[in-house]
């Protein structure tokens, strides 16, 4: 038990953090025990669940670089069933510092091995690069969710991501698989969005989630209130679709 899912795409602004925060909160909402790992130095997932980064002592950096035990870093969020390993800006140094570290790609995997079974889901929010932080996340994970923004150049960069996934499968984690591609920020008013959906479905076929995340202003407002969408506005379209995604993720197992 305890499924680990990396939310990854080296492109910035495609909805990784929004998906990490809201999928985690929605899984917690339907009764799953969830750990969110913020693996992006920007720490937006951390503040997105209401943690003040200024108050954080140890973060994922301490686990990866200083071998601080995971249990000393986990924080409870205001959301029932949802805990977090936060990130702070100190993590920015980890990408470089990891280079010269023993077993640099498997540090996250080893660190969370012992706590894995305490959760139904562990969701890892990856940074916008294919560096060592993302490699650590993919090596530690059972599967990967790839958010793809319904915009021009949606597929750009995905071949690079897929070849990284194949390299990880070959050398570091042979059981890693693609859970699904998640279409985000869809705007039904434009033809472009519809074209992108068709294009992505042609490429990824049944790997595309049935749930499509529309552009929803409430989703973009929620982080500044430090709340996942189901707490910020439970009746919004954003809350509805992320709850639907959570159910689809559970169903897919
Ligand atoms: P990433 O983590 O991939 O860089 P984010 O999740 O931070 O992407 O999203 C980028 C920006 O787009 C953020 O300001 C976020 O609030 C906004 N955003 C994400 N998803 C949606 C959506 N479905 N509707 C409206 N705004 C969104
Ligand atoms: Mg992000």
């Amino acid at each position: 038990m305890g499924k680990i899912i990396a939310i990854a795409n080296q492109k910035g602004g495609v909805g990784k953090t929004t998906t990490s925060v809201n999928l985690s909160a929605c899984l917690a909402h339907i009764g799953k025990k969830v750990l969110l790992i913020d693996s992006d130095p920007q720490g937006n997932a951390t503040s997105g669940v209401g943690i003040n980064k200024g108050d954080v002592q140890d973060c994922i950096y301490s686990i990866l670089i200083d071998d601080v035990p995971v249990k000393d870093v986990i924080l409870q969020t205001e959301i029932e069933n949802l805990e977090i390993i936060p990130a702070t800006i100190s993590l920015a140094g980890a990408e470089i510092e990891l280079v010269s570290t023993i077993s640099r790609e498997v540090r996250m995997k080893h660190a969370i091995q012992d706590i894995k079974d305490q959760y139904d889901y562990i969701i890892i929010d990856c940074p916008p690069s294919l560096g060592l932080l993302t490699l650590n996340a993919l090596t530690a994970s059972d599967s990967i969710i790839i958010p793809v923004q319904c915009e021009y150049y949606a597929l750009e960069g995905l071949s690079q991501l897929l070849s990284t996934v194949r390299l990880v499968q070959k050398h570091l984690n042979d059981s890693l698989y693609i859970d699904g591609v998640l279409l985000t920020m869809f705007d039904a008013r434009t033809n472009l969005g519809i074209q992108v959906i068709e294009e992505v479905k042609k490429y990824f076929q049944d790997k595309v989630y049935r749930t499509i995340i529309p552009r929803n202003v409430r989703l973009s407002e929620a982080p500044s209130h430090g709340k996942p969408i189901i707490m910020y506005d439970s009746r919004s379209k954003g809350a509805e679709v992320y709850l639907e995604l959570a159910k689809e993720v559970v169903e897919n197992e």
Side-chain angles (χ1 to χ4, degrees):
M1 274 303 291
K3 181 171 183 181
I4 307 177
I5 307 176
I7 315 292
N9 185 337
Q10 78 276 23
K11 233 190 220 188
V14 296
K16 289 183 291 296
T17 301
T18 305
T19 298
S20 300
V21 165
N22 291 303
L23 174 61
S24 296
C26 287
L27 285 167
H29 184 75
I30 58 177
K32 304 295 179 187
K33 195 153 178 359
V34 184
L35 175 67
L36 172 60
I37 300 181
D38 190 350
S39 195
D40 184 345
Q42 290 179 38
N44 291 340
T46 301
S47 49
V49 295
I51 307 279
N52 183 352
K53 282 180 272 183
D55 296 341
V56 172
Q57 295 289 325
D58 285 318
C59 82
I60 182 76
Y61 176 91
S62 327
I63 295 172
L64 295 174
I65 306 289
D66 295 333
D67 289 320
V68 170
V70 182
K71 62 172 178 30
D72 296 348
V73 184
I74 294 174
L75 300 174
Q76 175 61 45
T77 69
E78 285 169 22
I79 304 123
E80 202 186 337
N81 291 329
L82 179 58
E83 295 173 5
I84 184 167
I85 296 178
T88 64
I89 194 66
S90 66
L91 187 60
E95 201 76 70
I96 309 269
E97 287 165 62
L98 276 169
V99 171
S100 56
T101 311
I102 304 271
S103 50
R104 59 189 186 180
E105 294 99 351
V106 290
R107 301 205 127 226
M108 193 182 293
K109 181 190 170 88
H110 289 164
I112 58 182
Q113 219 140 43
D114 292 343
I115 54 149
K116 183 177 171 178
D117 290 340
Q118 296 168 26
Y119 300 91
D120 296 307
Y121 289 94
I122 298 178
I123 307 290
I124 309 175
D125 184 24
C126 292
S129 76
L130 292 173
L132 279 167
L133 288 171
T134 296
L135 281 184
N136 263 274
L138 293 178
T139 303
S141 294
D142 295 302
S143 70
I144 169 176
I145 291 178
I146 306 172
V148 169
Q149 191 184 353
C150 296
E151 264 305 332
Y152 283 115
Y153 311 123
L155 289 168
E156 193 189 62
L158 281 181
S159 59
Q160 206 187 347
L161 175 60
L162 295 180
S163 71
T164 301
V165 168
R166 278 192 293 271
L167 280 174
V168 170
Q169 286 166 331
K170 188 165 173 200
H171 299 288
L172 295 161
N173 178 7
D174 62 4
S175 55
L176 178 70
Y177 64 94
I178 295 175
D179 221 295
V181 172
L182 178 68
L183 291 154
T184 64
M185 296 181 236
F186 174 66
D187 185 346
R189 291 167 307 180
T190 67
N191 286 329
L192 173 68
I194 294 161
Q195 279 166 23
V196 171
I197 290 178
E198 281 172 5
E199 206 179 339
V200 170
K201 281 189 172 163
K202 202 154 84 187
Y203 196 79
F204 287 99
Q205 306 196 352
D206 60 346
K207 284 283 176 203
V208 183
Y209 287 107
R210 202 168 56 235
T211 308
I212 293 173
I213 310 297
R215 220 171 243 295
N216 176 251
V217 70
R218 306 300 265 171
L219 279 171
S220 59
E221 290 166 1
S224 59
H225 299 266
K227 289 187 166 123
I229 191 71
I230 41 159
M231 284 179 76
Y232 176 62
D233 185 353
S234 62
R235 290 190 298 190
S236 64
K237 186 72 189 167
E240 187 188 306
V241 290
Y242 271 108
L243 208 50
E244 211 175 283
L245 176 69
K247 289 175 186 159
E248 199 179 342
V249 166
V250 172
E251 222 173 77
N252 272 359
E253 275 190 44

